[in-house]
Amino acid sequence: MTDPHPRSIDAPDVAEEPWSQLRDGVVAGDVAEDLFDVVDSIARLIGGPVVVEDVDFRVLAYSAIEGQPNDEPRRSAILNRRTPDRWLRWMEESGVRHQLLHGDGVIRLDIPWSSPFPRYIQPIRTAGQLVGYLWFMSGSGEFADDFERTAREFAVLLAPELARRSWALNENPGGQLLRRFLGGGLPARRLGEVLKVDHETVGTAVVVFEVEADAPDAVAVGARAVRELARFVQMKLHAGLVGSVDQQIYLLYATDSLNDRGLAGLVEQTAKHLERVLRLDIRAAAGSVRRGLTTAAMSRAEADVTIRFLAARSGGRRLGCFSSMRHQILVHEVVSGLRTRPMLTRGLLDKLSDHDRLHGTDYVQTLSVYLGSFGDVRAAADALHIHANSLRYRVKRLTEIAELDLENPDIRLALQLALAAR
């Protein structure tokens, strides 16, 4: 970050009276009445144009003081009610976004393209939560020596009002649409019109995200994750909705070119982005790619079951797609069901377990490896580090002890499930 250098508010005795009036007015609540008037007052105090934006760089108010300078980027932001995408991309790539997310001080923007007016941006926070930005533009020279302190004071004064307006506290329209749609309150045809896609044929998939469980202040972290993900989708995908539904973070992605390989890349890309921004571990899972928005509920169910599977695998992978993991997920779901109903597997392995405990044998382990090797004696023997003949003897003995018919495929399947449930 480059520190700003002197200009504008020259003497405390000149600025003190309007500054006090502005501060008193904000404290009294006047800022909520007309944010534009407050921004005009700030612009007069510093001697340069000012813009206030929310956390998604949407313009909330801007100064309009006669005689103060203007340029094309500022006009574009005001007309479009948002910082231009070109600037947002540069801020992301240059590290300015990272400084805004993790710092409190004013930042001078060293813009790579030609601009006659120096610019500064001050993050606005309340209770540690980022709620917006103050932009300052210097018309000539630099700001005064106390500009950094003044910028921080302005940010403190505006923070409560921006918190009230913040997207972090008032959910984004995309999130509301997503909740309505997944809850059955919005027809697929209407959502297709909003997303500008053919609701009957568009490729559709749902991705679910989880932030690490022990993250401090989980509610604030979740809100920020939704906001960052929505911003990423807006800049990179242009055909998706992000929101929090049933305390889970979802992304509904809809595009004609979507396929399983592209979806896997999307899961990795979005998860890495969130991990980099939040500095927390992210778990993410996607349902299958299907055709038509009406299939979103099915894809969501697949995403939910996939992320449950990932969470159950301690120390395992954190990203996955249902389409490439369905066999593992199927076994996991069946085994999980068996664990909740132990009566179904009770007795299948009791005789072997009792024998192992009483005689120091390992017939349960032998049976598990033998079945897992599809009855391949040599492979199972190698895995157990014993001779093939020793394995044959063990298998013969354990079938006698437990009275098992390993030629019966149903019995073999039941035994494998029971072993997995253990």
Side-chain angles (χ1 to χ4, degrees):
M1 182 177 79
T2 305
D3 292 334
H5 305 289
R7 191 185 86 90
S8 202
I9 316 174
D10 292 319
D13 58 332
V14 174
E16 182 62 31
E17 184 177 351
W19 165 248
S20 296
Q21 292 174 354
L22 174 60
R23 180 187 57 213
D24 294 343
V26 171
V27 171
D30 293 347
V31 64
E33 296 299 322
D34 197 337
L35 192 58
F36 282 85
D37 286 346
V38 175
V39 171
D40 277 347
S41 298
I42 295 173
R44 289 190 183 95
L45 284 169
I46 68 164
V50 176
V51 173
V52 177
E53 294 183 334
D54 68 8
V55 288
D56 296 298
F57 297 95
R58 294 178 296 197
V59 174
L60 300 178
Y62 54 90
S63 62
I65 306 299
E66 186 175 353
Q68 287 193 341
N70 205 357
D71 62 6
E72 183 54 37
R74 187 170 187 269
R75 281 190 291 268
S76 174
I78 291 172
L79 288 173
N80 295 297
R81 309 296 293 178
R82 187 172 182 270
T83 294
D85 286 344
R86 178 190 185 192
W87 284 64
L88 294 178
R89 284 193 296 270
W90 172 75
M91 290 167 67
E92 184 74 44
E93 294 166 358
S94 65
V96 170
R97 277 277 293 155
H98 179 80
Q99 294 180 58
L100 291 172
L101 289 172
H102 301 286
D104 293 312
V106 67
I107 299 170
R108 176 174 175 144
L109 301 182
D110 297 318
I111 307 162
W113 49 86
S114 176
S115 176
F117 305 116
R119 276 179 168 78
Y120 305 84
I121 183 169
Q122 167 70 49
I124 303 174
R125 297 181 184 279
T126 179
Q129 177 72 37
L130 185 66
V131 293
Y133 310 99
L134 257 173
W135 289 75
F136 304 96
M137 189 167 78
S138 176
S140 60
E142 299 291 349
F143 286 120
D145 291 327
D146 61 351
F147 171 66
E148 286 195 49
R149 175 183 61 79
T150 304
R152 284 195 297 270
E153 289 177 343
F154 289 147
V156 170
L157 288 177
L158 291 174
E161 173 61 14
L162 264 66
R164 187 182 70 81
R165 302 180 183 215
S166 173
W167 190 12
L169 303 179
N170 302 289
E171 190 183 18
N172 65 90
Q176 297 173 11
L177 280 176
L178 182 61
R179 180 182 290 114
R180 286 178 57 200
F181 176 65
L182 293 180
L186 182 69
R189 180 183 298 276
R190 176 66 186 121
L191 182 61
E193 293 172 357
V194 173
L195 297 178
K196 296 180 173 58
V197 298
D198 186 334
H199 75 281
E200 293 182 333
T201 63
V202 68
T204 304
V206 173
V207 185
V208 60
F209 300 83
E210 288 182 354
V211 184
E212 66 175 351
D214 58 349
D217 197 0
V219 174
V221 171
R224 184 178 167 201
V226 170
R227 189 169 63 247
E228 290 294 338
L229 187 59
R231 175 181 167 275
F232 180 88
V233 169
Q234 184 181 34
M235 293 186 64
K236 303 287 187 180
L237 305 182
H238 309 295
L241 295 176
V242 174
S244 179
V245 184
D246 298 333
Q247 299 182 331
Q248 292 276 33
I249 300 170
Y250 288 99
L251 161 62
L252 169 65
Y253 189 40
T255 180
D256 290 331
S257 60
L258 189 60
N259 55 39
D260 288 334
R261 182 176 180 181
L263 181 61
L266 172 68
V267 171
E268 182 176 4
Q269 188 180 19
T270 50
K272 282 185 176 179
H273 174 76
L274 286 178
E275 288 187 330
R276 180 172 57 81
V277 173
L278 300 178
R279 294 186 174 182
L280 294 169
D281 289 336
I282 296 294
R283 188 179 295 120
S288 300
V289 177
R290 299 180 177 275
R291 291 294 152 188
L293 289 175
T294 56
T295 65
M298 195 177 305
S299 184
R300 177 194 177 185
E302 293 170 345
D304 287 340
V305 76
T306 304
I307 207 161
R308 284 201 304 269
F309 172 70
L310 293 174
R313 295 178 55 172
S314 59
R317 60 193 290 187
R318 294 200 303 270
L319 309 179
C321 295
F322 181 82
S323 59
S324 62
M325 302 173 67
R326 64 173 68 241
H327 303 97
Q328 298 163 282
I329 293 169
L330 170 62
V331 173
H332 172 73
E333 287 294 301
V334 171
V335 169
S336 297
L338 290 175
R339 287 174 179 155
T340 64
R341 302 182 65 191
M343 59 167 285
L344 295 176
T345 57
R346 190 181 299 125
L348 286 176
L349 300 169
D350 288 357
K351 291 181 179 178
L352 287 184
S353 297
D354 291 343
H355 192 281
D356 284 347
R357 185 174 63 255
L358 293 172
H359 301 282
T361 53
D362 56 357
Y363 286 140
V364 173
Q365 173 69 3
T366 299
L367 177 62
S368 177
V369 173
Y370 178 72
L371 293 174
S373 301
F374 302 100
D376 186 328
V377 172
R378 186 168 297 281
D382 289 344
L384 292 167
H385 306 292
I386 61 175
H387 194 274
N389 288 336
S390 297
L391 176 64
R392 291 188 181 95
Y393 172 78
R394 286 190 188 182
V395 171
K396 181 175 181 297
R397 280 291 294 139
L398 70 84
T399 58
E400 293 171 349
I401 293 168
E403 300 177 356
L404 299 174
D405 178 9
L406 295 186
E407 299 299 319
N408 187 315
D410 290 338
I411 293 178
R412 290 200 305 271
L413 177 58
L415 290 169
Q416 284 185 292
L417 291 173
L419 286 163
R422 286 166 64 92

